């Protein structure tokens, strides 16, 4: 679950943003909508504990994120949050398999090679384990990044503009894959997007619409 109350953020050299309250049940799906610049990526970073709110609170799977000490946050995030960033951040210096293995170190957990294989197999990219990310197609790279995001069985899966630059068929497939992958983990799914096709693909999802007017700058 994700619960926010009176959440606000101010960039040091940028706008102040205030976000509407939201309650998403564990295993639910939230569409975070709004134009470019409305604050979608900022909201994801606040929920993931990557940014500290100027005001208000975020609770994820029962944990008050603001109550975590700095040293605890990275481990908590590694075990709780699966993140599919807009830029996938796969290192081309490492094989696909080694890219996934890094997630264990970030979460302070021992490496689990069988877990890496299982995550790649679930996304049907286990055949690419020894390849470099730069050799993959966009769709393959997104599947690898999604395998990494769910490697540690997160409670929440956050996807930032997952359909950007995809054609209609690939966009629908990507949304279906995210929903199925979150369902397999029992994770709450958040899709941050300004792409109207995502709403069409998930008609029953809960919607949080961020209005540029809510930027208080
Ligand atoms: P979205 O993901 O909906 O496009 P963002 O969360 O990226 O929106 O940005 C919200 C607002 O905050 C925008 O006005 C953007 O320019 C501003 N912003 C984002 N990141 C920074 C930053 N690092 N420093 C200053 N302003 C920022
Ligand atoms: Mg964004």
């Amino acid at each position: 679950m994700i619960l926010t109350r009176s959440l606000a953020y101010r960039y040091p050299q940028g706008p102040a943003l205030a976000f509407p309250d939201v309650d998403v049940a564990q295993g639910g799906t939230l569409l975070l909508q709004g134009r470019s610049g409305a604050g979608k990526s900022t909201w994801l970073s606040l929920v993931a504990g990557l940014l500290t709110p100027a005001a208000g609170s975020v609770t994820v799977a029962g944990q008050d994120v603001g109550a975590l000490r700095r040293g605890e946050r990275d481990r908590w995030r590694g075990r709780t949050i699966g993140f599919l960033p807009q830029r996938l951040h796969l290192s081309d210096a490492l094989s696909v398999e080694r890219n996934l293995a890094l997630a264990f170190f970030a979460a302070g957990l021992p490496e689990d090679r069988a877990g890496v294989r299982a995550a790649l197999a679930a996304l049907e990219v286990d055949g690419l384990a020894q390849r470099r990310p730069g050799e993959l197609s966009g769709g393959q790279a997104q599947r690898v990044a999604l395998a990494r995001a769910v490697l540690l069985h997160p409670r929440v899966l956050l996807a930032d503009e997952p359909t950007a630059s995809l054609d209609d068929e690939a966009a629908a497939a990507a949304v279906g894959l995210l929903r199925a992958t979150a369902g397999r983990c029992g994770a709450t799914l958040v899709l941050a997007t300004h792409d109207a096709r995502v709403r069409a693909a998930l008609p029953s999802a809960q919607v949080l619409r961020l209005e540029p007017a809510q930027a208080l700058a």
Side-chain angles (χ1 to χ4, degrees):
M1 52 71 96
I2 302 172
L3 183 149
T4 71
R5 290 294 177 266
S6 307
L7 190 59
Y9 187 75
R10 176 181 287 279
Y11 283 101
Q13 305 299 326
L17 301 161
F19 299 98
D21 291 351
V22 72
D23 279 83
V24 191
Q26 186 60 40
T29 302
L30 178 70
L31 283 191
L32 186 61
Q33 292 188 319
R35 288 212 305 251
S36 189
K40 302 180 297 298
S41 296
T42 304
W43 190 94
L44 295 178
S45 293
L46 289 164
V47 167
L50 290 163
L51 294 175
T52 301
S57 65
V58 179
T59 307
V60 176
Q63 173 68 51
D64 176 353
V65 179
L68 292 164
R69 284 176 281 120
R70 288 223 170 257
E72 297 171 329
R73 273 204 199 174
D74 288 345
R75 283 166 61 94
W76 169 83
R77 185 182 311 109
R79 294 163 189 227
T80 312
I81 305 282
F83 195 41
L84 185 67
Q86 190 167 1
R87 291 159 169 254
L88 299 177
H89 298 304
L90 295 166
S91 170
D92 215 33
L94 301 170
S95 67
V96 161
E97 187 176 64
R98 301 309 302 160
N99 266 278
L100 265 68
L102 287 180
F104 290 104
F105 296 105
L109 293 168
E111 184 180 336
D112 172 5
R113 290 191 159 228
V116 169
R117 286 290 177 162
L120 290 172
L123 274 301
E124 298 172 357
V125 284
D126 42 328
L128 306 175
Q130 303 309 323
R131 304 272 286 275
R132 299 288 169 127
E135 302 166 3
L136 308 181
S137 73
Q140 288 173 330
Q142 191 177 51
R143 280 177 179 260
V144 167
L146 186 52
R148 179 181 57 184
V150 297
L151 180 62
L152 302 178
H153 311 290
R155 306 312 297 144
V156 172
L157 176 58
L158 307 176
D160 199 356
E161 306 283 4
T163 59
S165 77
L166 298 182
D167 65 30
D168 288 356
E169 195 180 333
V175 172
L177 188 63
L178 279 160
R179 191 45 266 170
T181 302
R184 189 160 46 75
C185 304
T188 307
L189 175 64
V190 181
L191 292 135
T193 184
H194 62 266
D195 182 348
R197 298 175 301 179
V198 176
R199 181 77 201 275
L202 289 170
S204 60
Q206 193 175 337
V207 174
L208 179 65
R209 172 164 281 283
L210 303 182
E211 302 295 345
Q214 280 156 353
L216 306 173

